[in-house]
Amino acid sequence: MGFRSSVKKNIPKVDLQDYNVLVAGDYKSGKTRLWKEVMELFFPDDPDAATLFAFEEGYNTWELESVVDMHNKGWEFFRSEVVPDLVQEAKDGRITKVIGVDTVDKLIDSASEWLIKKWNKKYGVQYESIQEHNENINTENVWIALKDEIWTQIDKLKNAGYGFFWLAWTKVKETTTIDGLKYNSVELMMNTTGQKIFKSQADLICCLYGDVVVTDKDGNELDENLKTKKNKEVASNFHETEINMYFRPSNFIEIAGGRFTNLPDKETYSAENFLRVFEEAVKGQLKKTKQSVEDIKKDQAKKREDNTKEFAEQEESKLSSGELVEQIDNEIIRLKKIKKQKELVKEFNKLFGSAMGYKESVDENNLAKALEFAKSIK
């Protein structure tokens, strides 16, 4: 029947574990605290179900049951130890269900530093930033390489059935419209490459912002400036700041929204309010489904774990970078015997920057391509 056999009904996911949540806010706005309190409410009897991967030290003042100190370990540890272990763990007996990243801005920095070292060694240079490589190295698009590196690891964890709770920084950005009008808005601080990864893949974006209420000395809210006896406007000496969670963009908050129709404009900051908004947003997507949310959750959990096992088995069958290098070495020995090893040079230069670059590569995709190419030479 062709494609008709692939047509199916889709029921929206109802478990936090099935979503990518992005919580953005200024420094000290309460991002890590929100992660902690939301996870404690969502997993009250399972403190290990939510693990925070801390790429910065903002977690130090919080009592957390499950946290990994990533800022002292780096990207190599994340890609070669954390991700494979979590994929295997998901198959053998899942412990963590939702992964927190604090912050994705620092995760991007960590991956960038790893790639800079890799490219410096590859091209024999001593650049200190991605931008320097972008301006001086023309053999590959470094921004695409950065996006692919991060996306590959995130996708592996997502395919292994983990939910995400990404924490990110915001900034006030000035924008000029096509008509020349300027306005300020709160947006993500990260670069365009980071936004392509995290903003584009977030199912729900919540922005934490401190709204200021100006009052008089008695605590009454003012809707216009105080004035002197000479009718001159003066500033009040009293105000209150209330942290709100924005779930929809406003005339000032740009970074908010999601794939749900039933979202409020904003709510007062609290873990209880956040989870209530999430639950109501999920229920708002279930217009025709007669199953209860709990029954849907059970069905989706079973399917998620079945898919996880299939994905983990596929990952197990893949060769490691070391095994790929070893097999390429064997192919080169074979090609030398038939005097065709020189046919590898052009392809290897393209993939690794030099004919022998494969020896130090950890890019399993490129190594697999190189091995396939070598095997194709008869």
Side-chain angles (χ1 to χ4, degrees), residues 94-345:
R94 188 186 301 279
I95 299 173
T96 297
K97 296 177 181 177
V98 176
I99 293 170
V101 178
D102 188 7
T103 59
V104 288
D105 304 78
K106 296 296 287 183
L107 178 150
I108 294 168
D109 289 345
S110 182
S112 297
E113 289 170 8
W114 180 82
L115 280 173
I116 289 167
K117 290 179 182 178
K118 174 185 171 184
W119 288 325
N120 280 349
K121 190 172 185 178
K122 179 177 180 179
Y123 295 110
V125 295
Q126 289 298 319
Y127 297 139
E128 296 182 358
S129 70
I130 294 287
Q131 187 59 37
E132 280 186 283
H133 277 277
N134 188 57
E135 292 171 352
N136 296 286
I137 303 297
N138 298 316
T139 56
E140 60 183 309
N141 188 315
V142 295
W143 291 111
I144 291 177
L146 175 61
K147 183 187 73 172
D148 289 346
E149 170 61 29
I150 297 173
W151 219 328
T152 296
Q153 308 311 322
I154 296 296
D155 274 352
K156 286 181 181 181
L157 295 174
K158 195 66 185 174
N159 288 330
Y162 293 99
F164 282 106
F165 209 92
W166 296 320
L167 308 182
W169 294 328
T170 58
K171 65 179 179 181
V172 176
K173 179 183 177 182
E174 182 182 283
T175 302
T176 303
T177 69
I178 194 171
D179 298 317
L181 296 174
K182 295 183 178 182
Y183 68 91
N184 290 326
S185 60
V186 175
E187 300 186 5
L188 289 174
M189 186 181 290
M190 68 183 70
N191 57 37
T192 302
T193 296
Q195 295 197 39
K196 286 178 180 177
I197 301 169
F198 297 105
K199 184 179 179 180
S200 70
Q201 297 303 303
D203 301 299
L204 177 63
I205 302 175
C206 169
C207 181
L208 308 182
Y209 186 75
D211 288 311
V212 177
V213 176
V214 181
T215 67
D216 60 21
K217 64 180 181 180
D218 297 319
N220 300 309
E221 183 177 350
L222 299 176
D223 54 14
E224 61 180 24
N225 288 325
L226 296 172
K227 294 181 180 179
T228 65
K229 293 180 180 179
K230 294 183 179 181
N231 210 35
K232 180 182 178 181
E233 290 187 346
V234 293
S236 171
N237 291 325
F238 306 95
H239 72 278
E240 298 173 356
T241 301
E242 180 181 69
I243 300 296
N244 284 311
M245 302 182 296
Y246 280 81
F247 292 97
R248 289 187 184 276
S250 70
N251 58 357
F252 184 51
I253 306 296
E254 175 72 22
I255 181 66
R259 309 186 199 277
F260 303 95
T261 57
N262 188 27
L263 286 174
D265 291 331
K266 67 177 182 179
E267 290 286 345
T268 303
Y269 176 96
S270 76
E272 291 82 1
N273 283 346
F274 181 93
L275 280 179
R276 177 177 54 79
V277 168
F278 173 76
E279 290 167 1
E280 290 178 356
V282 167
K283 290 177 182 177
Q285 302 296 101
L286 302 172
K287 304 294 185 183
K288 299 179 180 180
T289 304
K290 294 181 179 179
Q291 274 185 294
S292 68
V293 171
E294 283 305 312
D295 286 341
I296 294 173
K297 184 182 289 187
K298 290 177 183 177
D299 291 344
Q300 291 178 345
K302 184 180 184 306
K303 185 175 181 180
R304 179 178 60 239
E305 295 309 313
D306 289 342
N307 291 339
T308 291
K309 289 180 180 178
E310 182 179 345
F311 172 74
E313 287 168 0
Q314 291 174 353
E315 286 294 296
E316 281 181 351
S317 66
K318 291 181 180 179
L319 297 175
S320 68
S321 58
E323 291 169 328
L324 287 164
V325 169
E326 184 177 346
Q327 290 205 17
I328 292 171
D329 286 338
N330 292 336
E331 286 299 311
I332 290 175
I333 292 171
R334 177 182 70 83
L335 292 172
K336 281 182 177 179
K337 289 179 180 178
I338 59 176
K339 298 182 178 180
K340 290 188 176 182
Q341 74 272 20
K342 291 183 179 179
E343 295 183 29
L344 297 174
V345 174

